[in-house]
Amino acid sequence: MTDALKALSDQGVSIWLDDLNRPLITSGGLQELIDTKHVVGVTTNPTIFAAALSQGDAYNEQVKSLADDGRNVDEAVFALTTEDVRHACDIMRPVYDATGGQDGRVSIEVDPRLAHETARTVEQAKELWTAVDRPNLLIKIPATVEGLPAISQVIAEGISVNVTLIFSLDRYRGVMNAFLTGLEQAREGGKDLSTIHSVASFFVSRVDTEVDKRLDALDGSDEAQALKGKAGIANARLAYHAYDEVFSTPRWQVLEAEGAHKQRPLWASTGVKDPAYPDTMYVTELVAPNTVNTMPGKTLEAVADHGEIAGDQVTGNYENAKAVLDALERLGISYADVVAVLEREGVEKFEKSWDELLTDVQDELAKATATSAGAAK
């Protein structure tokens, strides 16, 4: 076993892999990560699926079958992605059973083109839940303004949710409120609250990328340079503070008494974008109880190799975190503008990846159709 990853797990951090592809499933690679790297969950997103389907020929047979059946590109993408997630859920099922449903989770995202459409997001969340048909699935819904009521409605149906693309503290509070509202509606509808789980994916490294760019555009002062690489971790630490507050309220305690589980903070975007920073910093600096850290494979390997886990790095650092964001405001870097830009760009990036995925699958369907037509002559 890897000591750093075991130490991380022992601190109450669930280690999830931020990657999924068919070869990882069929080769036994995912099972190996569970067995040797303490991996207890998997997250996916449109960018991950686009990369998976563009590499190799692992999907060719299914694409041919879908082409033969006359499926259109949206139907084909739905079938390809849900197939991978279903099999990953099956591999993760023993972890799910062993942890009472807390871990052993696999996430799949609604079509990012629906990020600003509440009703269609709810509709597709239900379709994905039915198609995968596994209790350890999480449906990813973006934390846009329109996503918040969708989160409540999907939770109310008894469907477990991974809320994604959270950047701001205000929006995170809105996410937690949407989660609690959904639980209250589920209770009114007679649902068993103990079967509903949720995580809230708070993005980290992208905050530093945007803030550092703005710091570099300033006059190069020592104060500006000293703040580089600080905002993402500070923002996440303050998010955990908000989580502590919300899940200590009487409103939560009523739900908890009826079997509800806390919506755990999940640290996403934990791969370091700037090579000047330690490649493990978004893991080692965000250790806190009852959290999830979802890592790309490269970050997971880095933590396994040289990560230094020094216990809880969050709950004692709220004042320092607030001081970082205050210092940025004094330099003229608007927190409100930074997080607004990041949310807009986050949705746009996932839409672009989805478009690439659709294009690749459309090309593969066309090739398969042409091959079948040629063979029939």
Side-chain angles (χ1 to χ4, degrees), residues 152 155-157 176-191 193 196 249-256 258 260:
S152 296
I155 290 285
E157 294 285 340
M176 290 187 284
N177 179 64
F179 170 67
L180 295 177
T181 299
L183 286 179
E184 288 160 350
Q185 292 171 352
R187 179 187 58 195
E188 290 166 11
K191 303 289 185 186
L193 300 190
I196 303 170
T249 60
R251 182 185 183 191
W252 163 248
Q253 288 161 0
V254 168
L255 293 164
E256 186 175 39
E258 298 190 32

CSV table of all heavy atoms in Angstrom, one decimal, residues 152 155-157 176-191 193 196 249-256 258 260:
chain,number,residue,atom,x,y,z
A,152,SER,N,-32.4,20.6,-6.7
A,152,SER,CA,-33.4,20.3,-5.7
A,152,SER,C,-34.4,19.3,-6.3
A,152,SER,O,-34.8,18.3,-5.6
A,152,SER,CB,-34.2,21.6,-5.3
A,152,SER,OG,-33.3,22.5,-4.7
A,155,ILE,N,-32.7,15.7,-6.5
A,155,ILE,CA,-32.6,15.2,-5.2
A,155,ILE,C,-34.0,14.7,-4.6
A,155,ILE,O,-34.1,13.6,-4.0
A,155,ILE,CB,-32.0,16.2,-4.2
A,155,ILE,CG1,-30.5,16.4,-4.6
A,155,ILE,CG2,-32.1,15.8,-2.8
A,155,ILE,CD1,-29.5,15.4,-4.2
A,156,ALA,N,-35.0,15.5,-4.9
A,156,ALA,CA,-36.4,15.2,-4.4
A,156,ALA,C,-36.9,13.9,-5.0
A,156,ALA,O,-37.7,13.2,-4.4
A,156,ALA,CB,-37.3,16.3,-4.8
A,157,GLU,N,-36.3,13.5,-6.2
A,157,GLU,CA,-36.7,12.2,-6.8
A,157,GLU,C,-36.0,11.1,-6.2
A,157,GLU,O,-36.2,9.9,-6.6
A,157,GLU,CB,-36.4,12.3,-8.3
A,157,GLU,CG,-37.2,13.3,-9.1
A,157,GLU,CD,-38.7,12.9,-9.3
A,157,GLU,OE1,-38.9,11.6,-9.3
A,157,GLU,OE2,-39.5,13.7,-9.6
A,176,MET,N,-25.8,24.3,-1.4
A,176,MET,CA,-26.1,23.6,-0.1
A,176,MET,C,-27.6,23.8,0.2
A,176,MET,O,-28.3,22.9,0.6
A,176,MET,CB,-25.2,24.0,1.0
A,176,MET,CG,-23.8,23.5,0.9
A,176,MET,SD,-22.7,23.9,2.3
A,176,MET,CE,-22.4,25.6,2.1
A,177,ASN,N,-28.1,25.0,-0.1
A,177,ASN,CA,-29.5,25.3,0.2
A,177,ASN,C,-30.4,24.5,-0.8
A,177,ASN,O,-31.4,23.9,-0.4
A,177,ASN,CB,-29.8,26.8,0.0
A,177,ASN,CG,-31.3,27.1,0.1
A,177,ASN,OD1,-31.8,27.0,1.2
A,177,ASN,ND2,-31.9,27.5,-0.9
A,178,ALA,N,-29.9,24.3,-2.0
A,178,ALA,CA,-30.7,23.5,-3.0
A,178,ALA,C,-30.7,22.1,-2.6
A,178,ALA,O,-31.7,21.4,-2.8
A,178,ALA,CB,-30.1,23.7,-4.4
A,179,PHE,N,-29.6,21.6,-2.1
A,179,PHE,CA,-29.5,20.2,-1.6
A,179,PHE,C,-30.5,20.0,-0.4
A,179,PHE,O,-31.2,19.0,-0.4
A,179,PHE,CB,-28.1,19.9,-1.1
A,179,PHE,CG,-27.9,18.6,-0.4
A,179,PHE,CD1,-28.1,17.4,-1.0
A,179,PHE,CD2,-27.5,18.6,1.0
A,179,PHE,CE1,-27.9,16.2,-0.3
A,179,PHE,CE2,-27.3,17.4,1.6
A,179,PHE,CZ,-27.5,16.2,1.0
A,180,LEU,N,-30.5,20.9,0.6
A,180,LEU,CA,-31.4,20.8,1.7
A,180,LEU,C,-32.8,20.8,1.3
A,180,LEU,O,-33.7,20.1,1.8
A,180,LEU,CB,-31.1,21.8,2.8
A,180,LEU,CG,-29.7,21.7,3.4
A,180,LEU,CD1,-29.5,22.9,4.4
A,180,LEU,CD2,-29.5,20.4,4.1
A,181,THR,N,-33.1,21.7,0.4
A,181,THR,CA,-34.5,21.9,-0.2
A,181,THR,C,-34.9,20.6,-0.8
A,181,THR,O,-36.1,20.1,-0.6
A,181,THR,CB,-34.6,23.0,-1.2
A,181,THR,OG1,-34.3,24.3,-0.5
A,181,THR,CG2,-36.0,23.1,-1.8
A,182,GLY,N,-34.0,20.0,-1.6
A,182,GLY,CA,-34.3,18.7,-2.3
A,182,GLY,C,-34.6,17.6,-1.3
A,182,GLY,O,-35.5,16.8,-1.5
A,183,LEU,N,-33.8,17.6,-0.2
A,183,LEU,CA,-34.0,16.5,0.8
A,183,LEU,C,-35.4,16.7,1.5
A,183,LEU,O,-36.1,15.8,1.8
A,183,LEU,CB,-32.9,16.6,1.9
A,183,LEU,CG,-31.5,16.1,1.5
A,183,LEU,CD1,-30.6,16.2,2.7
A,183,LEU,CD2,-31.6,14.6,1.1
A,184,GLU,N,-35.7,18.0,1.8
A,184,GLU,CA,-37.0,18.3,2.4
A,184,GLU,C,-38.2,17.8,1.5
A,184,GLU,O,-39.2,17.3,2.0
A,184,GLU,CB,-37.1,19.8,2.7
A,184,GLU,CG,-36.2,20.2,3.9
A,184,GLU,CD,-35.9,21.6,4.0
A,184,GLU,OE1,-36.2,22.4,3.0
A,184,GLU,OE2,-35.3,22.1,5.0
A,185,GLN,N,-38.0,18.1,0.2
A,185,GLN,CA,-39.0,17.7,-0.7
A,185,GLN,C,-39.1,16.1,-0.9
A,185,GLN,O,-40.1,15.5,-1.0
A,185,GLN,CB,-38.8,18.3,-2.1
A,185,GLN,CG,-38.9,19.8,-2.1
A,185,GLN,CD,-38.5,20.5,-3.4
A,185,GLN,OE1,-37.9,19.8,-4.3
A,185,GLN,NE2,-38.7,21.8,-3.6
A,186,ALA,N,-37.9,15.5,-0.8
A,186,ALA,CA,-37.8,14.0,-0.8
A,186,ALA,C,-38.6,13.4,0.4
A,186,ALA,O,-39.3,12.5,0.3
A,186,ALA,CB,-36.4,13.6,-0.9
A,187,ARG,N,-38.3,14.0,1.5
A,187,ARG,CA,-39.0,13.6,2.7
A,187,ARG,C,-40.5,13.7,2.6
A,187,ARG,O,-41.3,12.8,2.9
A,187,ARG,CB,-38.5,14.4,3.9
A,187,ARG,CG,-39.1,14.1,5.3
A,187,ARG,CD,-38.7,15.0,6.3
A,187,ARG,NE,-39.1,16.4,6.0
A,187,ARG,CZ,-38.6,17.5,6.6
A,187,ARG,NH1,-37.7,17.4,7.5
A,187,ARG,NH2,-39.0,18.7,6.2
A,188,GLU,N,-41.0,14.8,2.1
A,188,GLU,CA,-42.4,15.1,1.9
A,188,GLU,C,-43.0,14.0,0.9
A,188,GLU,O,-44.2,13.7,1.0
A,188,GLU,CB,-42.7,16.5,1.4
A,188,GLU,CG,-42.4,17.6,2.4
A,188,GLU,CD,-42.3,18.9,1.8
A,188,GLU,OE1,-42.7,19.1,0.6
A,188,GLU,OE2,-41.9,19.9,2.5
A,189,GLY,N,-42.1,13.6,0.0
A,189,GLY,CA,-42.6,12.6,-1.0
A,189,GLY,C,-42.4,11.2,-0.6
A,189,GLY,O,-42.7,10.3,-1.4
A,190,GLY,N,-42.0,11.0,0.7
A,190,GLY,CA,-41.9,9.7,1.2
A,190,GLY,C,-40.7,8.9,0.8
A,190,GLY,O,-40.6,7.7,1.0
A,191,LYS,N,-39.6,9.6,0.4
A,191,LYS,CA,-38.4,9.0,0.0
A,191,LYS,C,-37.6,8.6,1.3
A,191,LYS,O,-37.7,9.3,2.3
A,191,LYS,CB,-37.5,9.9,-0.9
A,191,LYS,CG,-38.2,10.3,-2.2
A,191,LYS,CD,-38.4,9.2,-3.2
A,191,LYS,CE,-38.9,9.7,-4.5
A,191,LYS,NZ,-39.2,8.6,-5.4
A,193,LEU,N,-34.4,9.0,3.0
A,193,LEU,CA,-33.3,10.0,2.9
A,193,LEU,C,-32.0,9.3,3.0
A,193,LEU,O,-31.0,9.8,2.5
A,193,LEU,CB,-33.4,11.1,4.0
A,193,LEU,CG,-34.7,11.9,3.9
A,193,LEU,CD1,-34.6,13.1,4.9
A,193,LEU,CD2,-35.0,12.5,2.5
A,196,ILE,N,-30.0,8.7,-0.3
A,196,ILE,CA,-29.6,9.9,-1.2
A,196,ILE,C,-28.2,10.4,-0.7
A,196,ILE,O,-28.0,10.7,0.5
A,196,ILE,CB,-30.6,11.0,-1.1
A,196,ILE,CG1,-32.0,10.5,-1.5
A,196,ILE,CG2,-30.2,12.2,-2.0
A,196,ILE,CD1,-33.2,11.5,-1.2
A,249,THR,N,-26.6,23.6,11.4
A,249,THR,CA,-27.8,24.3,11.6
A,249,THR,C,-29.0,23.4,12.1
A,249,THR,O,-29.0,22.2,11.8
A,249,THR,CB,-28.3,25.1,10.4
A,249,THR,OG1,-28.5,24.1,9.3
A,249,THR,CG2,-27.3,26.1,9.9
A,250,PRO,N,-30.0,23.9,12.8
A,250,PRO,CA,-31.2,23.1,13.1
A,250,PRO,C,-31.8,22.5,11.9
A,250,PRO,O,-32.4,21.4,11.9
A,250,PRO,CB,-32.1,24.1,13.8
A,250,PRO,CG,-31.1,25.1,14.4
A,250,PRO,CD,-30.0,25.3,13.4
A,251,ARG,N,-31.9,23.3,10.8
A,251,ARG,CA,-32.5,22.8,9.6
A,251,ARG,C,-31.8,21.5,9.1
A,251,ARG,O,-32.5,20.5,8.8
A,251,ARG,CB,-32.3,23.9,8.5
A,251,ARG,CG,-33.0,23.4,7.1
A,251,ARG,CD,-32.7,24.4,6.0
A,251,ARG,NE,-33.4,24.1,4.8
A,251,ARG,CZ,-33.1,24.6,3.6
A,251,ARG,NH1,-32.2,25.6,3.5
A,251,ARG,NH2,-33.8,24.2,2.5
A,252,TRP,N,-30.5,21.5,9.2
A,252,TRP,CA,-29.8,20.2,8.8
A,252,TRP,C,-30.1,19.1,9.8
A,252,TRP,O,-30.3,18.0,9.5
A,252,TRP,CB,-28.3,20.4,8.6
A,252,TRP,CG,-27.6,19.1,8.7
A,252,TRP,CD1,-26.7,18.7,9.6
A,252,TRP,CD2,-27.7,18.1,7.7
A,252,TRP,NE1,-26.3,17.4,9.3
A,252,TRP,CE2,-26.9,17.0,8.2
A,252,TRP,CE3,-28.4,17.9,6.5
A,252,TRP,CZ2,-26.8,15.8,7.5
A,252,TRP,CZ3,-28.3,16.7,5.9
A,252,TRP,CH2,-27.5,15.7,6.3
A,253,GLN,N,-30.0,19.5,11.1
A,253,GLN,CA,-30.2,18.4,12.1
A,253,GLN,C,-31.5,17.7,12.1
A,253,GLN,O,-31.5,16.5,12.4
A,253,GLN,CB,-30.0,19.1,13.5
A,253,GLN,CG,-28.5,19.5,13.7
A,253,GLN,CD,-28.3,20.6,14.8
A,253,GLN,OE1,-29.3,21.0,15.5
A,253,GLN,NE2,-27.1,21.0,15.1
A,254,VAL,N,-32.5,18.4,11.7
A,254,VAL,CA,-33.8,17.7,11.5
A,254,VAL,C,-33.7,16.6,10.4
A,254,VAL,O,-34.2,15.5,10.6
A,254,VAL,CB,-34.9,18.7,11.1
A,254,VAL,CG1,-36.2,18.1,10.6
A,254,VAL,CG2,-35.2,19.7,12.3
A,255,LEU,N,-33.1,17.0,9.3
A,255,LEU,CA,-32.9,16.0,8.2
A,255,LEU,C,-32.0,14.9,8.6
A,255,LEU,O,-32.2,13.7,8.3
A,255,LEU,CB,-32.4,16.7,7.0
A,255,LEU,CG,-33.4,17.7,6.3
A,255,LEU,CD1,-32.6,18.7,5.4
A,255,LEU,CD2,-34.5,17.0,5.6
A,256,GLU,N,-30.9,15.2,9.3
A,256,GLU,CA,-29.9,14.2,9.7
A,256,GLU,C,-30.6,13.2,10.6
A,256,GLU,O,-30.3,12.0,10.6
A,256,GLU,CB,-28.8,14.9,10.4
A,256,GLU,CG,-27.6,13.9,10.8
A,256,GLU,CD,-26.5,14.6,11.4
A,256,GLU,OE1,-26.7,15.6,12.2
A,256,GLU,OE2,-25.3,14.2,11.1
A,258,GLU,N,-33.4,12.1,10.4
A,258,GLU,CA,-34.3,11.2,9.6
A,258,GLU,C,-33.4,10.4,8.6
A,258,GLU,O,-33.9,9.8,7.7
A,258,GLU,CB,-35.3,12.0,8.8
A,258,GLU,CG,-36.3,12.7,9.8
A,258,GLU,CD,-37.5,13.3,9.1
A,258,GLU,OE1,-37.9,12.8,8.1
A,258,GLU,OE2,-38.0,14.3,9.6
A,260,ALA,N,-30.6,11.5,6.8
A,260,ALA,CA,-29.9,12.1,5.7
A,260,ALA,C,-28.4,12.2,5.9
A,260,ALA,O,-27.9,12.2,7.0
A,260,ALA,CB,-30.4,13.6,5.5
